[in-house]
Each structure stands twice: as C-alpha cells, then as structure tokens.
Amino acid sequence: MNENNIEKLIIEGIQDRKGRAITVVDMSNIEGAAASKFIICEGSSSMQVGAIADNVRESLLEKIRVKPYNYDGYANSEWIVVDYGDILVHVFRPETRQRYNLEDLWSDAVLTEIPDLD
C-alpha cells in the first residue's frame, strides 16, 4: 500500500465525518522532519474531533488493513494525533489548531489545502 493511497483514504475518512480545513503538509524534502507528511484538519466540537479520528482509523483498517502505530489525545479531544509512520494525522478543535499553528511551524514544507466538501 503506497503513501498516496493512504493519504487519499485518510482525507476521505476526514470528509466522511465533515472534517474541515484539511491541509496536507508535505515535509518529505525537509531533513530531520518528524514524518514525511502531516494531514491536519479540524472538527467543531470535541465529539466531532473524536468521531473524525475514529473514522480515519476504522476506514484504513477496514479498507486496507492498516492500523496506526499509535494515537493520542482522546482524553480531552482538543487535538488527536494518529500515527501512520510516515503520515501523522492531526485532528484539532479550531482554537487549539490556531494555538499550535503547525502549518506555520513547518512553513518551509509544501502546503496543499483540500477544499471543504460543502
């Protein structure tokens, strides 16, 4: 299973639960980066943040039998990260996303905005 298929399924999993403001942060050309890609999105409530992260995990397991290496953040569901090795999925509440501003932190990466479905 290649990285592009995993990325596509992650984005679909986010969109299935109405995740918004999806940004793909491609860090594959940055030496020492934590991963080759971050996929960042937001949900409007803690419940939605949890539902988006759950759907990404369930979708990849069901469709391509891929489990995350790890995941964290369900305790308060302000920011859940799901680790697929080279791809880290970050699901934020909007205010938490603004506070940590990962896109700015990795501003030398290639950023791709995925349009919201609605």
Side-chain angles (χ1 to χ4, degrees):
M1 183 53 43
N2 74 26
E3 198 175 283
N4 288 339
N5 288 351
I6 291 175
E7 178 182 332
K8 183 175 170 282
L9 288 171
I10 289 168
I11 291 168
E12 286 173 6
I14 292 167
Q15 291 173 330
D16 283 349
R17 291 295 176 266
K18 308 276 190 263
R20 302 181 64 80
I22 302 169
T23 302
V24 178
V25 182
D26 185 342
M27 301 173 294
S28 55
N29 293 324
I30 300 174
E31 202 172 311
S36 63
K37 286 188 181 157
F38 283 173
I39 299 176
I40 304 169
C41 71
E42 57 191 55
S44 57
S45 66
S46 297
M47 188 176 288
Q48 187 185 17
V49 166
I52 292 166
D54 284 347
N55 197 56
V56 167
R57 291 174 38 222
E58 290 162 10
S59 178
L60 265 68
L61 185 58
E62 182 182 302
K63 293 177 181 165
I64 58 171
R65 299 241 169 275
V66 170
K67 284 184 176 179
Y69 292 106
N70 207 348
Y71 49 87
D72 193 23
Y74 279 93
N76 64 9
S77 296
E78 292 286 315
W79 174 9
I80 296 176
V81 63
V82 185
D83 178 358
Y84 286 101
D86 280 343
I87 300 176
L88 294 176
V89 183
H90 297 272
V91 187
F92 284 102
R93 294 272 318 269
E95 55 278 7
T96 308
R97 183 178 185 172
Q98 284 179 328
R99 184 176 325 127
Y100 290 98
N101 200 352
L102 295 183
E103 292 94 332
D104 221 32
L105 195 62
W106 294 99
S107 58
D108 45 351
V110 178
L111 302 180
T112 305
E113 307 281 335
I114 308 295
D116 291 338
L117 289 182
D118 54 1

